Amino acid sequence: MSKGYAVFCDADRWFYDAPHRIPDDAGRTGGWTAALRPAPEGWQRHRSGDWLALRPLDAELPKQGWKIHVSACLDNAERIIDAVWDYCVPRGIAFKFIPNRYLLHNRNAKYADRGGSGKFVTVYPAGDEQCRTIAEDLDALLAGEPGPYILSDLRWGNGPVYVRYGSFTERHCYDRDGELRPAIEDAEGRLVPDRRDPAFHVPDWVALPDFLKPHLEARNATRVGDIPYRIEKALHFSNGGGVYVATDTRTGEKVVLKEGRPHAGLAADGADAVTRLRREKEALERLSGLPQTPGVHDWFTLGDHRFLALEYVEGKPLNSFFARRHPLIESDPGPERMAEYTEWALRIHRLVEEAVEAIHARGVVFNDLHLFNIMVSEDESSVTLLDFEAAAHIDEGRRQVIANPGFVAPADRRGFDVDRYALACLRIALFLPLTNLFAIDRGKAAHLARIVAREFPAVPREFLDEAVAEITRGWQPPERSGSGGAAQEGTAGTAPGGSADAYLPVHPADWPRSRDSMTRAVLASATPEREDRFFPGDIAQFAPGGGICFAHGAAGVLYALAETGGERCPDAEEWLLRRTKEPASGTPLGFYDGLSGVAWTLERFGHTDRALELAGTILDQPWEALAPDLHGGLSGIGLALDALAAATGESALHDAALRCAQLVADKADRSGGRPLPAAKGAPRAGLLYGSAGQALLFLRLYERTGQPELLERAATALHRDLDCCVTGAGGALQVDEGWRTMPYLGAGSVGIGMVLDDYAAHREEERFEQARHDILEAARSRFYAQPGLFRGVAGMILHLARTTTGEPGTHEADLRRQIDSLTRAAVPYRGHLAFPGEQMMRLSADLATGTAGCLLALGSALHGTSVHLPFLPPPPRRPQSRSSVREAVPENPSPRK
C-alpha cells in the first residue's frame, strides 16, 4: 500500500485533495505570523502548493546553483521563519517557506517523502560566495535550534542549516526511464534530472566549493561499522528511519534493528521517531516474557540516530496469507475450500484476540493492530504482534496517533476500545480486506458483513454481527455533502441486518439505470470553480497536467461519459479548453498523463483547432528521452497523432506517428529486446508501461499502412511481455514483478491479453493462443482488491466483455460475477452509485481509478453500442449478448428512491 495517500484525505470528506487546499483560516493549519505579513515594498509574494515564496522584484537569480535549506521542528518553526525573514528581507535575498504548522507536520511525518523531509525554508543565494556568507550567518543566527536532518542535503555544522546544488527555477525533463522530473542544466547546457534522493550528492560536472569540504568530511565521519551489528538487509524505510535484519557480531544471533531519526517521522501527536521508538522499548519491556511479543535485545545511539534491537520473529505477516490461502483468488473454489478457509480464519482471529487480551492484561494498549503487524508462525499455530511504537499504558489515555487506514479507530475511541475496534475490522478483513472503505463510510461495514455471510456461509452470524456493532457503535450517517456543497439524498447505509442490496442506490448490472446513477455521481462531484481540476480523482492529478489528462483528469471522464451514452458536460469542455490554452509548465506529452491524450479527446468533441495546436506543441518537443510506453511515452503519442491524422487529414501527423514507432523500435533494439526495469528491479510489462502498449502502436500502424515489419515488431513486443509472465495457481498467467504477480489491465497480464486478442485477428501463433487462454483465467478470479479500471475488477470486466478467446457465451457467468463483485467496493454518493479510488480511502471520479473507469467497463459489457478504451475497439466477435449479462441484477435490488 502506498502510504502517501493518507495526507490527501484531510482536505475533503469524500475525495482526495491536496493538503495545501485546507484554508489557512480554517483553524486547522496553525499558520505562522510571518505567513500573514504583507510582501515588503518592492517584493512579490506567491503561493505555490505547500510553499509561500517572497522575492525582490528586481532580483536576478541564476537558474541553478547552491541553495540553502533550513529545517525546523513544530515548536521552533515560528522563531526560525521570523529570524530568516528579518535576515533576508533587508539584504534582498529571495526565499520561500512552509506557511503553517499543518503542512510542516505533513512534510516531517512518518510516511512523508524522505527526499523532501525537513525542508522548512529555502534561501536562494546569487552565487557561491553569497551562499557561503548566508550559510555562515544563518548558522550563527540559528545556533542551538533543533530540526530534522535533511537527507538530500549537506549539513552545515551542527545546526538546522543545509546546502544542496539544484534548480532555482521550474524546469522539467525526462529521465532515462521516461519519467518527467525537475531539471537542471549539465555542463553542455542539456536539461538533466535534478536528483532529489534521500542522500546528498554533487552533480558530476559541479565542483564542490572549498568551504563545503569540511562539512562533507564531518558527514562521512559516522560509519555503520562502529556498532556490534552486521546489517544483512533493509526491510523497509520510512521518514522516521529504517528497519533492518542484522546479525549480532558478538553472539551470531539474528535481530531486527529499528532506527529512529530525531525530529522526523512525526506521528499525529507530534512525537518523533526517537520518541516512538522509546515508547516501543518501554511497552515491550512491560510485556517481557509474553510469547506473543518480541523481546528487547539492545538500545543504542549511532550519530544522533537511536536504534532498538529486537528479537527476530520467524514467520510471515498475516496479510501475505491472503494470496497464499484465500479461496476467492481462485475462479471456482468449491464449498470445501470455502469452509476450510473459514475454519482457518476463525482460528487465526482467535489467536490474535488472545494476543491482544494478553497485552491488555498487562495494561498495554497496542494502538496499531492490522494485517501487516501480525506475524503468523511457520506452522500457523501462533501469532506475534509487531510494531509497538504507538503502544501506550492504559493509564496514559493517549489517542491513536498511527494507524493503518483500514483499521484506524474513530476519534471517540480511547484505550482498549481502540484495539477492540481493530479486532472487529479484522473479522471482516480476513474474508474481504476492504476495510479502508470505512474511512469513507462506516455504514459500509454492515454491507460487507452481509456479503461475507453470503459468500462464506460457515461464518457464524454472531461473529459478523458483533463486528458490525463495534465498528458502527456511536456512528451516525454523515450529512451528505461533498465538494459541491449540496445535501445528500438518502442515507449512507442500512442498519445491521438490513437488505443486502438496500445499501446501494442501484445494482451495477441494472443498465442503463446504473449508468445514469454513476453519471450523476460524477457530475455532482465537479468543481468547475477550481483551476487545478474539474473532476476529483487520484492524487496524481495534483502533478502538472494531472487535472486535464486522460487517466486522472477531465479528458478521461468526458470520454467515459460520452462513450456510454451519458450527457455531455459543456462546462467541463470549456474548462478543458481554458486550461489547455497555455498548459502548465511541466505538463507531460503522453497519452494517459498529458497533452496527446487531451488533444485526442478534444478532437473527438469537435474542438479540432485546439487539438491541432496541442499536436503542434507536442511536435515541437524533443522526443529522444521519452519512454516507449503507452501511458506517458512514445507509443501513446504515436497512436494519438495517427488518430488525429486520420480525423483531420494532416499527413504530417501520420509521419510523426511513424517516427514514434521508429524511435520505439530503436529503443527496443538498443536494449537487446530486454524490457525496461520497474521500481523494484523487475521488468516493466503490461499495456500501460510495458511492451504490450508498444505492440499496440505497431499493430494499429500495420493496419493503417500494411507494412509487414510492423506486424513483426508487434509480435516481438508481445513475446517480450510474455517473457515477464509466470503461471500461477489455477493456470492463470500473470506479470511477475519480482515480489508479487499482477493480473490487471494497466500493468498486469490482462492488458497483454487485450493486445493478443487484436493480434490474433491477423496471425495465429501457438504461444499467443495459449497465453490468451491462461490470461483469461487471470480475469476470472473471485476477488480483486480494488474496483478501478487499471488496477481492479473493472479492467477484468472490460477484458471479459471484449475478448474473442473461447466460444460465444463462454464467459457469461464470469462476466456476471465480476459485475456483481463491483458492489463490494461501491459507495453511495449523494444518492448515486460511486466508487473509491486507489487505496479506497476516498472516492474518485477519474477514468484510471474511479467511477468513470467503472462506468466505461460496465458500458463495454452492457451498453447497446460499442464502448471501449482508446485504440482498443472490440474485435469482430463478442462472446455474449448484453441482455444475458444483465441477469446479474438481483431479483429485488431494493433501490433507493
Side-chain angles (χ1 to χ4, degrees):
M1 183 191 73
S2 170
K3 307 291 186 180
Y5 280 78
V7 73
F8 288 84
C9 293
D10 290 344
D12 190 279
R13 167 71 182 80
W14 291 102
F15 299 99
Y16 294 120
D17 208 346
H20 68 263
R21 296 288 304 187
I22 297 178
D24 291 339
D25 59 358
R28 298 168 57 189
T29 59
W32 322 119
T33 303
L36 303 177
R37 293 188 194 181
E41 185 177 353
W43 287 60
Q44 63 179 4
R45 168 189 168 111
H46 175 64
R47 181 73 184 265
S48 177
D50 288 359
W51 295 95
L52 176 60
L54 289 105
R55 176 177 178 174
L57 292 173
D58 58 357
E60 293 187 12
L61 292 174
K63 292 182 178 179
Q64 61 195 53
W66 291 98
K67 55 185 174 181
I68 296 170
H69 289 117
V70 181
S71 69
C73 301
L74 298 178
D75 57 0
N76 68 346
E78 185 98 57
R79 292 196 304 273
I80 285 177
I81 186 52
D82 285 346
V84 172
W85 180 298
D86 292 343
Y87 175 84
C88 288
V89 169
R91 294 167 176 82
I93 301 169
F95 66 101
K96 66 179 181 180
F97 64 98
I98 303 296
N100 60 57
R101 180 186 181 90
Y102 169 77
L103 292 175
L104 181 60
H105 183 283
N106 286 345
R107 182 163 288 266
N108 293 329
K110 180 176 181 180
Y111 292 111
D113 171 42
R114 296 169 66 227
S117 176
K119 297 174 184 177
F120 173 49
V121 183
T122 305
V123 181
Y124 297 98
D128 287 4
E129 281 306 311
Q130 191 181 41
C131 176
R132 176 177 185 166
T133 300
I134 296 172
E136 289 175 342
D137 291 348
L138 289 180
D139 181 57
L141 189 64
L142 301 174
E145 293 286 5
Y149 196 102
I150 301 176
L151 296 173
S152 64
D153 289 24
L154 179 62
R155 190 177 192 178
W156 186 284
N158 297 313
V161 178
Y162 296 77
V163 294
R164 183 181 81 85
Y165 189 93
S167 178
F168 285 24
T169 60
E170 190 173 10
R171 295 181 291 176
H172 297 83
C173 72
Y174 287 90
D175 65 15
R176 63 183 179 182
D177 295 328
E179 298 289 336
L180 201 62
R181 303 292 186 196
I184 53 178
E185 291 180 15
D186 66 9
E188 283 74 43
R190 298 170 302 190
L191 289 180
V192 296
D194 180 9
R195 290 178 55 186
R196 300 176 183 185
D197 312 327
F200 175 71
H201 75 96
V202 182
D204 296 339
W205 66 93
V206 175
L208 185 74
D210 289 341
F211 62 82
L212 291 179
K213 290 179 180 178
H215 303 287
L216 183 60
E217 292 169 0
R219 176 185 179 276
N220 294 334
T222 300
R223 300 184 181 277
V224 176
D226 296 339
I227 61 174
Y229 297 93
R230 183 177 64 252
I231 294 177
E232 308 292 350
K233 66 176 180 178
L235 295 177
H236 73 264
F237 291 98
S238 74
N239 191 34
V243 180
Y244 312 91
V245 176
T247 299
D248 188 328
T249 57
R250 299 163 297 188
T251 65
E253 187 176 5
K254 185 185 287 189
V255 298
V256 171
L257 291 182
K258 300 189 70 174
E259 177 187 20
R261 295 178 55 219
H263 315 303
L266 304 183
D269 62 349
D272 70 358
V274 173
T275 300
R276 289 186 287 102
L277 204 60
R278 183 176 290 107
R279 289 175 180 173
E280 178 163 18
K281 170 180 172 289
E282 293 169 353
L284 289 174
E285 287 173 341
R286 183 180 294 274
L287 298 171
S288 178
L290 285 184
Q292 299 100 333
T293 61
V296 175
H297 280 240
D298 202 354
W299 173 250
F300 62 91
T301 300
L302 177 64
D304 59 356
H305 291 203
R306 268 289 179 180
F307 286 84
L308 177 64
L310 298 174
E311 172 190 359
Y312 181 86
V313 178
E314 300 284 352
K316 290 182 172 58
L318 181 54
N319 68 292
S320 69
F321 282 85
F322 192 88
R324 298 173 66 192
R325 272 190 169 272
H326 205 288
L328 292 187
I329 66 172
E330 303 170 18
S331 60
D332 191 21
E336 290 183 0
R337 280 280 292 116
M338 304 295 280
E340 176 190 23
Y341 177 80
T342 298
E343 181 181 358
W344 178 87
L346 294 175
R347 180 172 61 82
I348 290 295
H349 190 273
R350 183 57 196 154
L351 289 173
V352 177
E353 279 188 319
E354 290 171 354
V356 172
E357 289 167 359
I359 68 169
H360 284 184
R362 295 201 181 179
V364 174
V365 183
F366 189 20
N367 268 330
D368 192 21
L369 181 70
H370 58 80
L371 291 166
F372 295 79
N373 279 356
I374 301 166
M375 186 70 77
V376 181
S377 64
E378 292 292 347
D379 63 2
E380 302 179 12
S381 65
S382 63
V383 299
T384 303
L385 304 183
L386 305 177
D387 292 342
F388 279 78
E389 62 185 43
H393 191 273
I394 184 65
D395 293 342
E396 295 180 55
R398 275 198 271 120
R399 65 187 179 95
Q400 192 174 29
V401 296
I402 292 177
N404 180 283
F407 293 79
V408 59
D412 62 348
R413 307 295 170 93
R414 291 287 191 279
F416 297 146
D417 280 353
V418 171
D419 293 342
R420 293 184 183 118
Y421 179 89
L423 284 168
C425 291
L426 184 62
R427 293 191 181 200
I428 293 175
L430 280 166
F431 297 95
L432 289 177
L434 302 172
T435 53
N436 278 18
L437 292 166
F438 301 164
I440 304 172
D441 183 6
R442 267 198 281 160
K444 185 70 177 178
H447 190 226
L448 289 180
R450 293 192 291 271
I451 296 173
V452 171
R454 184 182 69 208
E455 300 198 14
F456 296 86
V459 178
R461 183 56 190 256
E462 62 272 15
F463 182 84
L464 297 172
D465 285 347
E466 290 169 1
V468 172
E470 176 62 35
I471 291 166
T472 58
R473 176 163 58 88
W475 169 79
Q476 293 295 325
E479 182 181 350
R480 293 302 168 181
S481 60
S483 298
Q488 168 77 20
E489 301 170 20
T491 58
T494 58
S499 165
D501 298 291
Y503 175 78
L504 297 176
V506 61
H507 193 284
D510 188 5
W511 194 271
R513 290 181 64 239
S514 60
R515 175 200 65 190
D516 296 341
S517 187
M518 285 183 281
T519 298
R520 287 192 291 269
V522 168
L523 295 178
S525 73
T527 54
E529 72 284 355
R530 289 178 58 157
E531 293 296 310
D532 57 343
R533 73 173 191 204
F534 193 94
F535 299 106
D538 189 72
I539 65 174
Q541 66 182 192
F542 302 111
I548 65 174
C549 73
F550 202 85
H552 303 296
V557 175
L558 288 172
Y559 173 77
L561 294 176
E563 281 290 290
T564 53
E567 56 193 274
R568 287 181 66 163
C569 185
D571 289 346
E573 291 178 41
E574 289 299 321
W575 182 92
L576 194 56
L577 288 169
R578 290 196 305 273
R579 299 303 299 156
T580 54
K581 187 175 183 180
E582 294 183 9
S585 173
T587 300
L589 305 180
F591 186 85
Y592 279 100
D593 67 349
L595 296 181
S596 60
V598 177
W600 182 86
T601 304
L602 288 173
E603 192 283 324
R604 287 178 66 87
F605 282 90
H607 305 295
T608 305
D609 289 345
R610 178 56 51 78
L612 291 175
E613 288 174 13
L614 293 177
T617 299
I618 295 165
L619 294 177
D620 288 340
Q621 303 302 309
W623 292 356
E624 285 70 18
L626 288 171
D629 63 54
L630 175 64
H631 183 269
L634 292 162
S635 294
I637 293 171
L639 285 163
L641 293 177
D642 191 56
L644 287 171
T648 64
E650 295 285 342
S651 60
L653 297 180
H654 174 66
D655 294 340
L658 292 174
R659 180 179 165 228
C660 283
Q662 186 60 56
L663 287 170
V664 171
D666 291 345
K667 287 176 181 287
D669 292 342
R670 286 197 298 271
S671 71
R674 294 184 301 275
L676 292 173
K680 297 201 175 185
R684 302 199 82 171
L687 180 66
L688 294 185
Y689 304 102
S691 297
Q694 302 168 37
L696 184 62
L697 172 64
F698 293 133
L699 193 59
R700 295 294 170 247
L701 288 176
Y702 165 73
E703 292 167 348
R704 183 154 158 78
T705 67
Q707 297 177 19
E709 62 270 24
L710 289 168
L711 189 61
E712 293 298 332
R713 285 283 187 183
T716 301
L718 288 167
H719 278 294
R720 200 158 56 236
D721 258 10
L722 290 179
D723 289 343
C724 300
C725 295
V726 294
T727 303
L733 192 70
Q734 300 189 32
V735 170
D736 182 7
E737 292 191 342
W739 61 292
R740 63 180 179 183
T741 58
M742 296 293 280
Y744 298 116
L745 174 62
S749 56
V750 163
I752 302 171
M754 294 185 77
V755 184
L756 286 171
D757 281 348
D758 288 16
Y759 182 90
H762 301 284
R763 183 186 294 171
E764 187 172 313
E765 189 165 329
E766 184 176 352
R767 186 191 190 192
F768 290 176
E769 290 304 306
Q770 183 63 48
R772 292 171 69 202
H773 175 272
D774 295 346
I775 288 170
L776 194 61
E777 190 64 28
R780 298 180 65 239
S781 172
R782 298 286 293 269
F783 180 83
Y784 301 96
Q786 300 188 124
L789 184 64
F790 289 148
R791 282 171 49 88
V793 66
M796 307 307 169
I797 293 170
L798 187 68
H799 181 53
L800 290 170
R802 84 182 288 274
T803 185
T804 54
T805 306
E807 296 301 318
T810 302
H811 314 299
E812 290 181 25
D814 297 322
L815 193 50
R816 287 198 299 268
R817 187 175 65 243
Q818 300 297 27
I819 291 173
D820 186 59
S821 73
L822 273 179
T823 62
R824 295 171 182 163
V827 175
Y829 173 67
R830 298 191 177 183
H832 310 307
L833 183 64
F835 291 91
E838 189 78 9
Q839 307 299 321
M840 297 191 299
M841 292 184 282
R842 290 292 185 267
L843 300 178
S844 168
D846 73 28
L847 182 90
T849 70
T851 303
C854 294
L855 173 64
L856 189 79
L858 288 169
S860 72
L862 304 171
H863 196 50
T865 58
S866 171
V867 173
H868 57 88
L869 273 176
F871 320 119
L872 283 164
R877 176 170 56 80
R878 299 184 66 86
Q880 69 283 310
S881 67
R882 293 174 177 82
S883 60
S884 64
V885 175
R886 291 195 186 101
E887 294 172 9
V889 183
E891 291 184 7
N892 298 299
S894 304
R896 289 203 208 113
K897 302 296 183 183

